[in-house]
PDB file of all heavy atoms in Angstrom:
ATOM      1  N   GLY A  74     -29.833 -10.015 -88.620  1.00 49.00           N
ATOM      2  CA  GLY A  74     -30.811  -9.057 -88.107  1.00 49.00           C
ATOM      3  C   GLY A  74     -31.225  -9.389 -86.695  1.00 49.00           C
ATOM      4  O   GLY A  74     -30.622 -10.217 -86.025  1.00 49.00           O
ATOM      5  N   THR A  75     -32.303  -8.712 -86.221  1.00 50.00           N
ATOM      6  CA  THR A  75     -32.815  -9.047 -84.898  1.00 50.00           C
ATOM      7  C   THR A  75     -33.295 -10.485 -84.938  1.00 50.00           C
ATOM      8  O   THR A  75     -33.792 -10.945 -85.941  1.00 50.00           O
ATOM      9  CB  THR A  75     -34.026  -8.153 -84.541  1.00 50.00           C
ATOM     10  OG1 THR A  75     -34.350  -7.343 -85.622  1.00 50.00           O
ATOM     11  CG2 THR A  75     -33.815  -7.368 -83.314  1.00 50.00           C
ATOM     12  N   MET A  76     -33.155 -11.153 -83.819  1.00 52.00           N
ATOM     13  CA  MET A  76     -33.485 -12.579 -83.743  1.00 52.00           C
ATOM     14  C   MET A  76     -32.724 -13.325 -84.843  1.00 52.00           C
ATOM     15  O   MET A  76     -33.260 -14.184 -85.526  1.00 52.00           O
ATOM     16  CB  MET A  76     -34.990 -12.811 -83.871  1.00 52.00           C
ATOM     17  CG  MET A  76     -35.783 -12.177 -82.752  1.00 52.00           C
ATOM     18  SD  MET A  76     -37.521 -12.553 -82.831  1.00 52.00           S
ATOM     19  CE  MET A  76     -37.512 -14.321 -82.573  1.00 52.00           C
ATOM     20  N   SER A  77     -31.470 -12.949 -85.059  1.00 58.00           N
ATOM     21  CA  SER A  77     -30.729 -13.440 -86.209  1.00 58.00           C
ATOM     22  C   SER A  77     -30.229 -14.867 -86.025  1.00 58.00           C
ATOM     23  O   SER A  77     -30.137 -15.386 -84.928  1.00 58.00           O
ATOM     24  CB  SER A  77     -29.550 -12.523 -86.504  1.00 58.00           C
ATOM     25  OG  SER A  77     -28.603 -12.594 -85.477  1.00 58.00           O
ATOM     26  N   TRP A  78     -29.870 -15.455 -87.154  1.00 60.00           N
ATOM     27  CA  TRP A  78     -29.262 -16.762 -87.219  1.00 60.00           C
ATOM     28  C   TRP A  78     -27.791 -16.596 -87.552  1.00 60.00           C
ATOM     29  O   TRP A  78     -27.390 -15.631 -88.179  1.00 60.00           O
ATOM     30  CB  TRP A  78     -29.878 -17.582 -88.345  1.00 60.00           C
ATOM     31  CG  TRP A  78     -31.311 -17.899 -88.207  1.00 60.00           C
ATOM     32  CD1 TRP A  78     -31.973 -18.262 -87.087  1.00 60.00           C
ATOM     33  CD2 TRP A  78     -32.280 -17.918 -89.251  1.00 60.00           C
ATOM     34  NE1 TRP A  78     -33.286 -18.505 -87.374  1.00 60.00           N
ATOM     35  CE2 TRP A  78     -33.500 -18.306 -88.701  1.00 60.00           C
ATOM     36  CE3 TRP A  78     -32.233 -17.652 -90.614  1.00 60.00           C
ATOM     37  CZ2 TRP A  78     -34.659 -18.441 -89.448  1.00 60.00           C
ATOM     38  CZ3 TRP A  78     -33.379 -17.782 -91.357  1.00 60.00           C
ATOM     39  CH2 TRP A  78     -34.577 -18.178 -90.772  1.00 60.00           C
ATOM     40  N   GLN A  79     -26.992 -17.547 -87.177  1.00 70.00           N
ATOM     41  CA  GLN A  79     -25.585 -17.556 -87.575  1.00 70.00           C
ATOM     42  C   GLN A  79     -25.420 -18.185 -88.950  1.00 70.00           C
ATOM     43  O   GLN A  79     -24.533 -17.815 -89.706  1.00 70.00           O
ATOM     44  CB  GLN A  79     -24.746 -18.324 -86.550  1.00 70.00           C
ATOM     45  CG  GLN A  79     -24.802 -17.724 -85.151  1.00 70.00           C
ATOM     46  CD  GLN A  79     -24.343 -16.270 -85.136  1.00 70.00           C
ATOM     47  OE1 GLN A  79     -23.387 -15.905 -85.790  1.00 70.00           O
ATOM     48  NE2 GLN A  79     -25.053 -15.447 -84.383  1.00 70.00           N
ATOM     49  N   THR A  80     -26.278 -19.153 -89.270  1.00 84.00           N
ATOM     50  CA  THR A  80     -26.240 -19.826 -90.563  1.00 84.00           C
ATOM     51  C   THR A  80     -27.673 -19.998 -91.074  1.00 84.00           C
ATOM     52  O   THR A  80     -28.607 -20.015 -90.276  1.00 84.00           O
ATOM     53  CB  THR A  80     -25.593 -21.222 -90.444  1.00 84.00           C
ATOM     54  OG1 THR A  80     -26.336 -21.991 -89.509  1.00 84.00           O
ATOM     55  CG2 THR A  80     -24.142 -21.128 -89.991  1.00 84.00           C
ATOM     56  N   PRO A  81     -27.858 -20.131 -92.374  1.00 91.00           N
ATOM     57  CA  PRO A  81     -29.208 -20.368 -92.900  1.00 91.00           C
ATOM     58  C   PRO A  81     -29.798 -21.646 -92.310  1.00 91.00           C
ATOM     59  O   PRO A  81     -29.071 -22.572 -91.942  1.00 91.00           O
ATOM     60  CB  PRO A  81     -28.976 -20.522 -94.403  1.00 91.00           C
ATOM     61  CG  PRO A  81     -27.685 -19.845 -94.676  1.00 91.00           C
ATOM     62  CD  PRO A  81     -26.861 -20.042 -93.439  1.00 91.00           C
ATOM     63  N   LYS A  82     -31.113 -21.689 -92.237  1.00 93.00           N
ATOM     64  CA  LYS A  82     -31.809 -22.850 -91.679  1.00 93.00           C
ATOM     65  C   LYS A  82     -32.265 -23.785 -92.795  1.00 93.00           C
ATOM     66  O   LYS A  82     -32.511 -23.369 -93.918  1.00 93.00           O
ATOM     67  CB  LYS A  82     -33.034 -22.412 -90.867  1.00 93.00           C
ATOM     68  CG  LYS A  82     -32.687 -21.578 -89.653  1.00 93.00           C
ATOM     69  CD  LYS A  82     -31.828 -22.357 -88.684  1.00 93.00           C
ATOM     70  CE  LYS A  82     -31.407 -21.517 -87.511  1.00 93.00           C
ATOM     71  NZ  LYS A  82     -30.283 -22.042 -86.790  1.00 93.00           N
ATOM     72  N   THR A  83     -32.369 -25.042 -92.444  1.00 96.00           N
ATOM     73  CA  THR A  83     -32.868 -26.051 -93.372  1.00 96.00           C
ATOM     74  C   THR A  83     -34.255 -26.497 -92.932  1.00 96.00           C
ATOM     75  O   THR A  83     -34.714 -26.170 -91.835  1.00 96.00           O
ATOM     76  CB  THR A  83     -31.912 -27.260 -93.420  1.00 96.00           C
ATOM     77  OG1 THR A  83     -31.755 -27.781 -92.100  1.00 96.00           O
ATOM     78  CG2 THR A  83     -30.549 -26.854 -93.982  1.00 96.00           C
ATOM     79  N   LEU A  84     -34.910 -27.247 -93.789  1.00 98.00           N
ATOM     80  CA  LEU A  84     -36.251 -27.721 -93.499  1.00 98.00           C
ATOM     81  C   LEU A  84     -36.214 -28.976 -92.635  1.00 98.00           C
ATOM     82  O   LEU A  84     -35.341 -29.829 -92.804  1.00 98.00           O
ATOM     83  CB  LEU A  84     -37.001 -28.041 -94.796  1.00 98.00           C
ATOM     84  CG  LEU A  84     -37.581 -26.866 -95.570  1.00 98.00           C
ATOM     85  CD1 LEU A  84     -36.518 -25.967 -96.120  1.00 98.00           C
ATOM     86  CD2 LEU A  84     -38.477 -27.374 -96.666  1.00 98.00           C
ATOM     87  N   ALA A  85     -37.175 -29.071 -91.735  1.00 98.00           N
ATOM     88  CA  ALA A  85     -37.364 -30.291 -90.949  1.00 98.00           C
ATOM     89  C   ALA A  85     -38.123 -31.293 -91.814  1.00 98.00           C
ATOM     90  O   ALA A  85     -38.781 -30.919 -92.792  1.00 98.00           O
ATOM     91  CB  ALA A  85     -38.153 -29.980 -89.680  1.00 98.00           C
ATOM     92  N   ASP A  86     -38.051 -32.556 -91.441  1.00 98.00           N
ATOM     93  CA  ASP A  86     -38.832 -33.566 -92.151  1.00 98.00           C
ATOM     94  C   ASP A  86     -40.311 -33.217 -92.054  1.00 98.00           C
ATOM     95  O   ASP A  86     -40.771 -32.703 -91.035  1.00 98.00           O
ATOM     96  CB  ASP A  86     -38.597 -34.950 -91.534  1.00 98.00           C
ATOM     97  CG  ASP A  86     -37.183 -35.468 -91.795  1.00 98.00           C
ATOM     98  OD1 ASP A  86     -36.542 -35.018 -92.767  1.00 98.00           O
ATOM     99  OD2 ASP A  86     -36.732 -36.321 -91.008  1.00 98.00           O
TER     100      ASP A  86
END
Side-chain angles (χ1 to χ4, degrees):
T75 4
M76 297 184 65
S77 67
W78 296 319
Q79 300 302 319
T80 58
K82 296 298 177 198
T83 57
L84 281 66
D86 291 337

